[in-house]
Amino acid sequence: MRKNIVAGNWKMNNDLSQTESLLKALQDQKTTSNAEVMVAPTFTNLSQAVSTLKDSNIEVVAQNMHFAENGAYTGEISASMLKSIGVKTVILGHSERREYFNETDELLAKKVDAALAKGMRVIFCFGEELADRKAGNEEAVVGSQIKNALFHLSAAAFRNIVLAYEPVWAIGTGETASPEQAQDMHAFIRQTLANKYGEDVADGVSILYGGSVKPANAEEIFSKPDVDGGLIGGASLKAEDFFAIVNAF
Ligand code: PGA
């Protein structure tokens, strides 16, 4: 059975003291949600976040990693390093990584392999740009992003994959895909998985929506049958807003 997941992607926000305040505020929130809750602080604050949240139900995840085990990759961080501080899940393929750091499907396939080889769970992000959608190419783009980065994997590997559909035109813009647009794309993604790996695998994979999810729109988006949660940027930086979204489940 797939799980509901709400993950907060803090991006390059919050220094150490801001991180401590936000973690504390998150721990003070009340919830009866059935969703798994995750937060992704910056690398410098991950270790602190793991220790602060060790007795909570909030998992600390990383925003990125390198595919190599170690070596001459100045400024990079490996899966083993993340695991050594207790981080078991990593976000890969975020559109900002693709756009500003030239991450390609081929590179992401290597990162996915490296994370899975270390027993980590991957939240794999993808999504079309506005021009793709205007041209009616959104399914072709999304389909090829998934195939290029993930379709070399075994069916069993999908137990450790979470997908995050994030239309680039909806990230940080205040513009959200309508619940129907999200559902249509999520159904297409699940069918794409089913065509390759069968219904059982497709049914078991959580598919999150990301792009300007807020307390005001979360419930309607999450009510769609193929939307299993959200990857939240801006609204994850305020504990009340983030938990209002978590509590939409
Ligand atoms: P946003 O970001 O919620 O601020 O649109 C989503 C994301 O980039 O994951």
Side-chain angles (χ1 to χ4, degrees):
M1 254 309 269
R2 59 187 193 251
K3 298 167 190 151
N4 295 325
I5 297 172
V6 179
N9 174 12
W10 294 5
K11 309 190 181 183
M12 197 173 76
N13 292 296
N14 294 331
D15 64 16
L16 180 59
S17 78
Q18 291 164 325
T19 295
E20 282 172 343
S21 319
L22 181 50
L23 293 174
K24 187 170 179 323
L26 290 172
Q27 287 175 291
D28 290 341
Q29 298 297 310
K30 302 265 175 299
T31 179
T32 52
S33 172
N34 67 12
E36 268 186 57
V37 182
M38 306 176 185
V39 292
T42 55
F43 283 132
T44 52
N45 298 322
L46 280 177
S47 191
Q48 177 70 32
V50 169
S51 89
T52 303
L53 294 180
K54 70 177 182 311
D55 297 321
S56 82
N57 291 324
I58 304 173
E59 183 185 345
V60 177
V61 313
Q63 297 177 17
N64 180 35
M65 54 165 250
H66 195 270
F67 61 79
E69 170 81 30
N70 50 48
Y73 298 99
T74 301
E76 293 290 333
I77 306 248
S78 71
S80 317
M81 292 169 187
L82 294 173
K83 283 200 78 182
S84 74
I85 58 163
V87 172
K88 304 187 189 81
T89 300
V90 60
I91 298 170
L92 294 175
H94 192 280
S95 65
E96 288 147 19
R97 300 292 318 169
R98 293 174 188 260
E99 183 180 352
Y100 306 134
F101 303 96
N102 303 317
E103 295 200 357
T104 60
D105 292 343
E106 292 66 35
L107 175 79
L108 291 167
K110 287 162 101 176
K111 292 191 177 201
V112 169
D113 288 346
L116 295 179
K118 289 287 168 203
M120 293 186 74
R121 178 158 62 158
V122 172
I123 301 176
F124 184 74
C125 309
F126 53 86
E128 83 282 2
E129 294 184 23
L130 186 58
D132 302 320
R133 186 161 278 267
K134 282 197 169 146
N137 288 336
E138 64 273 18
E139 289 188 351
V141 169
V142 162
S144 76
Q145 288 171 323
I146 294 172
K147 284 177 198 146
N148 293 341
L150 301 179
F151 273 14
H152 62 288
L153 297 174
S154 69
F158 279 82
R159 283 199 287 268
N160 284 321
I161 300 277
V162 172
L163 299 180
Y165 167 59
E166 300 202 299
V168 177
W169 48 271
I171 296 177
T173 57
E175 183 100 28
T176 319
S178 69
E180 292 69 31
Q181 284 173 318
Q183 168 56 27
D184 286 352
M185 184 59 87
H186 283 222
F188 166 78
I189 293 162
R190 208 175 297 286
Q191 190 57 51
T192 301
L193 287 180
N195 293 345
K196 168 83 176 165
Y197 293 101
E199 301 280 342
D200 283 356
V201 170
D203 278 347
V205 175
S206 299
I207 308 177
L208 316 185
Y209 170 79
S212 300
V213 178
K214 310 181 261 287
N217 59 22
E219 199 167 326
E220 204 186 345
I221 295 172
F222 294 170
S223 71
K224 296 294 176 192
D226 286 298
V227 179
D228 306 309
L231 184 55
I232 319 300
S236 72
L237 298 172
K238 287 201 186 108
E240 297 75 22
D241 287 357
F242 184 57
F243 265 84
I245 294 169
V246 169
N247 288 333
F249 277 116

